[in-house]
Amino acid sequence: MLELKFDYADCVAHSEKVVWALDDVMTEGQPLDFSKPFLPADLVRHLDGVAGLDEATRRQLNQIAGNAYLNLFQFVEEYILATMMEHAQAEVFGDPEALRALTRMVDEELKHQALFKRFRRSFDRDFGHSCGVLESAAAVAHEIMSHSPVAVMLITLHIEWMTQQHYTESVKDDVGIDPFFKSLLHHHWLEESQHARIDMLELSKLAGYADQATRDRAVDEYIGILGAFDGLLAEQVTMDLASLESVRGEPLGEALQSAIREAMHQAYRRTFLWYGMTNRNVISSLQKLSPEGAAKVTEKAVAYA
Amino acid sequence: MSGGDDIIQRLVHVYGPTKGEALYRETLERTGLAELRSPDDEMRFADALIDSGGLLEAMGRSLRVRALLRGASRAPRADRISTAP
């Protein structure tokens, strides 16, 4: 349906070339360096306009957001791995190359979760202050997976391509961020690049069996999931503000808190929603599935820029 | 390729052409369907395979998940519906 120029065997071959071991990227208990920001300037650009933050506080807010950023990936990988296990189960005795690609993807997602949990344990120990992050991964996984299989694949495609774009456009060439954090994102990106292609192959397969009304509905469901995701991002911002106040040891004050809240929420929206909704591979897939739905997504994306 | 053709291929791949095609025909007969035309039909076929036990049960479980991903309705299997008041 999507007329793709790669297949499952290509994804397996590439995965075998770039595979890495968890301990080679981060050992358990590895100390973190907090002298540099974690997230690239481009992903937190909305904070540039917030006055009243000294350099140290900006760096700490960036690191709080960096911890939340990795946690959000750990969070969504909960439902992605459950979804891809289902897709793998559907290929038992079917297409062996698809089964290999899907089971490798599941293993890699589990490894990414383990890596991000490892990072979080080091962060919680070394940052010096408790920082709240979203914890309801299972509830969110349940909510997402209660949608149609095509809608679930659409949000998965969004997340995987968004990850690619973060790394290639914002992380790779940012020389000011912590090199270890950059290395984590690099290794994540290496394997996610196959996952994005596997998602397209799976989406193509599922969409091929769906009629136009089902495909149109799936895009509406995808837009609904993004709306719910936006609510989670707002929750994360509230936790980030509490973390920042804990670091400073005093309240931020109403005006500053409001300015940071607005800037952080917009930064997260752009990072997690806008990037995926405007990614050329996501858009071209949406256009083939549902031209009307693709137009709705493009229109909605403007608010998240 | 229809769902039925693909299922025959799976059975043939595992059991060989003669036995695989025979298993397909026998299982289809048990479902009361003439052919597999929709994900719901594939679900019925998968359930019939599950009832066969052993390796066929494993194949049926895989096809059941595939039928759900293709949009089969999530009605419970008839023999799993509780009759308790």
Side-chain angles (χ1 to χ4, degrees):
Chain A
M1 161 122 211
L2 298 182
E3 296 164 16
L4 304 170
K5 290 182 178 144
F6 48 85
D7 59 18
Y8 291 101
D10 295 331
C11 297
V12 171
H14 197 254
S15 167
E16 285 176 334
K17 275 185 201 157
V18 301
V19 67
W20 44 267
L22 184 55
D23 283 344
D24 291 343
V25 177
M26 182 178 190
T27 54
E28 180 63 53
Q30 185 169 323
L32 301 179
D33 177 2
F34 292 92
S35 63
K36 291 183 174 177
F38 288 169
L39 285 180
D42 184 51
L43 293 185
V44 288
R45 59 161 75 169
H46 296 80
L47 285 166
D48 293 349
V50 178
L53 289 175
D54 60 31
E55 197 186 323
T57 307
R58 279 185 193 279
R59 189 179 63 247
Q60 286 165 325
L61 182 56
N62 178 299
Q63 290 161 350
I64 290 166
N67 183 48
Y69 177 86
L70 288 192
N71 182 69
L72 272 160
F73 279 113
Q74 191 270 120
F75 195 88
V76 295
E77 278 167 0
E78 190 83 350
Y79 97 79
I80 292 176
L81 72 90
T83 298
M84 300 325 276
M85 273 299 284
E86 278 191 337
H87 284 244
Q89 167 71 4
E91 287 297 348
V92 175
F93 306 110
D95 177 350
E97 288 298 344
L99 185 56
R100 283 195 71 201
L102 289 160
T103 50
R104 285 186 79 89
M105 179 172 172
V106 169
D107 176 58
E108 288 163 1
E109 294 291 13
L110 282 163
K111 183 174 65 179
H112 299 171
Q113 275 197 317
L115 174 66
F116 297 154
K117 284 177 180 169
R118 199 172 267 195
F119 174 87
R120 191 176 155 196
R121 284 192 288 276
S122 287
F123 184 92
D124 288 346
R125 183 198 59 211
D126 295 347
F127 190 61
H129 302 271
S130 173
C131 294
V133 287
L134 295 166
E135 302 280 6
S136 52
V140 172
H142 176 81
E143 177 59 28
I144 292 175
M145 292 180 76
S146 66
H147 288 88
S148 68
V150 177
V152 175
M153 279 318 298
L154 277 173
I155 189 68
T156 308
L157 188 74
H158 168 120
I159 292 166
E160 308 279 17
W161 279 113
M162 171 194 93
T163 312
Q164 295 298 291
Q165 220 172 332
H166 288 177
Y167 184 76
T168 55
E169 292 183 12
S170 303
V171 177
K172 187 163 66 79
D173 297 325
D174 191 321
V175 293
I177 61 173
D178 175 54
F180 173 68
F181 197 84
K182 191 177 197 171
S183 158
L184 288 188
L185 299 181
H186 171 73
H187 285 89
H188 186 226
W189 166 76
L190 277 176
E191 294 185 335
E192 292 292 319
S193 64
Q194 281 81 254
H195 299 182
R197 287 174 178 81
I198 293 168
D199 292 340
M200 291 183 93
L201 289 162
E202 289 297 300
L203 177 64
S204 185
K205 202 158 63 180
L206 294 188
Y209 290 101
D211 58 24
Q212 190 56 54
T214 304
R215 295 199 292 262
D216 291 340
R217 268 200 311 279
V219 178
D220 287 340
E221 289 178 68
Y222 160 67
I223 292 171
I225 293 169
L226 292 176
F229 198 5
D230 187 32
L232 289 174
L233 297 176
E235 278 181 41
Q236 182 59 58
V237 173
T238 299
M239 287 188 266
D240 291 349
L241 285 165
S243 303
L244 187 62
E245 286 187 332
S246 161
V247 170
R248 284 164 57 104
E250 59 181 4
L252 288 160
E254 204 174 309
L256 184 55
Q257 192 185 76
S258 171
I260 296 172
R261 181 185 296 279
E262 193 179 325
M264 276 306 295
H265 192 186
Q266 205 56 30
Y268 280 151
R269 280 174 155 172
R270 183 171 182 274
T271 300
F272 289 102
L273 305 177
W274 180 84
Y275 263 107
M277 295 167 87
T278 57
N279 176 277
R280 66 183 170 86
N281 291 302
V282 174
I283 289 291
S284 73
S285 302
L286 284 167
Q287 280 167 344
K288 284 173 187 152
L289 255 62
S290 165
E292 199 179 294
K296 283 188 209 170
V297 172
T298 301
E299 193 186 320
K300 289 256 177 204
V302 176
Y304 299 138
Chain B
M1 185 187 293
S2 75
D5 291 342
D6 183 64
I7 290 171
I8 293 172
Q9 271 197 1
R10 287 189 182 204
L11 287 164
V12 165
H13 177 73
V14 175
Y15 289 99
T18 308
K19 191 172 179 189
E21 285 175 21
L23 280 167
Y24 178 77
R25 283 194 305 274
E26 287 162 18
T27 310
L28 190 64
E29 200 174 318
R30 288 213 311 276
T31 65
L33 297 166
E35 59 181 321
L36 304 183
R37 302 174 69 170
S38 69
D40 281 339
D41 291 349
E42 290 175 29
M43 177 79 95
R44 281 176 68 175
F45 188 92
D47 284 344
L49 279 181
I50 290 170
D51 289 339
S52 304
L55 184 59
L56 288 172
E57 180 174 347
M59 295 183 83
R61 291 194 187 286
S62 169
L63 290 172
R64 197 167 207 282
V65 174
R66 192 182 76 157
L68 285 168
L69 290 175
R70 289 180 172 193
S73 50
R74 290 174 183 267
R77 293 180 57 190
D79 60 342
R80 300 286 189 271
I81 297 172
S82 170
T83 53

